[in-house]
Each structure stands twice: as structure tokens, then as C-alpha cells.
Amino acid sequence: MSFIPKSSYSKTELIDCSNGKLFTKSGDGRLPSDNMLMFDEILNINSTGGEFGKGSVVANFSINPNLWFFNCHFKKDPVMPGCLGLDAMWQLLGFYLLWSGLPGIGRALGAEKVKFFGQVLPTDRLVRYELDIKRIINRGAVLGVANGKMYVDNKEIYSAEKLKVGLFNDPSSF
């Protein structure tokens, strides 16, 4: 199997990534499976755009009232957990690293200045994530750093600076 980077990815291709069937080395770069995958499509991914000129990612997540988390977070006050939006940004940064040709299995390593100033409700329609790649370090260990924003129906509701994801050959000792 040979991976050829593209500038956009469908839900089917993202599920292929979850199953280890997208990137060249078997087992590398698996996104979470369907229920924990927090975006439906990558609209644009590139290595030269964004605020820092080092790449950007834009992805969408369609909202419907039957999503699993609305049934349990919270009873009679359904809202998408904020941690899932933050996780989506880590997922996208990990995908970016693998899309860039770097090998390994991704793990979220942190974020700074995380802010929530809105929410995702079952009545909302579309979440959009925007990541600006700030830095990629590849010196034996791989680390990606990005700033991210999350929008619901075109209104910014979350932001995070210095999102960090690492790629590991064997994350069992992480």
C-alpha cells in the first residue's frame, strides 16, 4: 500500500485511517473509530498555509441530535462535551503529522490556553475545526505543535494554543 497525500479526505477515507488502511506503514496513524472520530471530512490540509506558513487543516463535523454523547451529557441538558472538541483538534494534528510522511502512533501531549466560550447543542448543524501548524520537530522523536479554533454554525466557541501531539514507535511505554 502506498500513501499519496491529498488535500481533502472523505468520511470513508477517515474510517480507512481508523482501520490502519490509509498510511503506508501498517499500524501507523490510526484515527479513533467512528464514534470517537470527531470530524466527518477534512476539507483542506496543506503544508504551506495557516497563520505561521507551516500548514493548516480545516475539517467539519455534522451535528445531529442522535449523536451518542447527547444522551448522556447531560440528562435534560444535552451538550457536546468540551473535551471532545479538544480531542478533535488533537486528532487532526496527529493526522497532519502522518499526512506529512512522519511515522508513528499518535498521542496527545497537551495544550495551553484552552478556552471554551460557547457550546454545541443538538439543534446545531455544523462544527468546523481550523488548525494552524506552528512547529514540527523531528529529531528522533516527532512532535507537532498547532493552534486551533472550533466553530459551531460559523461562531467561534473554543480555542487552544500550542496543541501538542507526539508520534511514537511503541506507545506502550508512554
Side-chain angles (χ1 to χ4, degrees):
M1 157 179 40
S2 178
F3 175 72
I4 300 170
K6 302 179 351 172
S7 62
S8 63
Y9 291 86
S10 68
K11 177 76 172 210
T12 300
E13 292 167 314
L14 297 173
I15 297 299
D16 284 346
C17 183
S18 296
N19 293 319
K21 297 179 180 176
L22 185 62
F23 296 107
T24 305
K25 186 178 171 194
S26 180
D28 274 0
R30 291 178 188 242
L31 286 168
S33 59
D34 200 22
N35 281 339
M36 277 302 294
L37 184 59
M38 291 290 109
F39 44 93
D40 299 320
E41 62 183 335
I42 294 178
L43 299 173
N44 187 284
I45 183 169
N46 65 71
S47 60
T48 58
E51 179 182 354
F52 308 103
K54 296 182 180 181
S56 65
V57 185
V58 177
N60 281 345
F61 182 50
S62 297
I63 300 299
N64 75 63
N66 297 319
L67 287 165
W68 65 271
F69 46 78
F70 288 132
N71 290 324
C72 56
H73 190 269
F74 299 96
K75 296 284 184 184
K76 298 185 181 183
D77 182 22
V79 62
M80 178 178 163
C83 60
L84 293 180
L86 184 59
D87 195 63
M89 292 188 259
W90 280 319
Q91 292 174 20
L92 286 165
L93 180 53
F95 186 91
Y96 179 87
L97 293 173
L98 293 150
W99 174 87
S100 297
L102 299 165
I105 299 169
R107 293 294 186 263
L109 298 177
E112 296 179 16
K113 295 185 182 177
V114 175
K115 297 179 185 176
F116 299 130
F117 34 90
Q119 59 188 349
V120 179
L121 302 173
T123 53
D124 292 323
R125 301 183 61 98
L126 187 69
V127 169
R128 183 179 76 250
Y129 306 98
E130 297 180 359
L131 257 62
D132 292 314
I133 307 305
K134 193 167 189 171
R135 190 170 181 199
I136 305 296
I137 299 168
N138 183 11
R139 293 187 210 130
V142 174
L143 175 71
V145 181
N147 290 349
K149 293 181 181 178
M150 180 175 148
Y151 299 82
V152 64
D153 296 335
N154 291 317
K155 177 186 173 197
E156 185 180 349
I157 62 165
Y158 300 178
S159 66
E161 293 182 17
K162 294 185 181 175
L163 293 151
K164 295 177 187 97
V165 169
L167 295 181
F168 299 88
N169 291 329
D170 178 7
S172 65
S173 62
F174 172 68

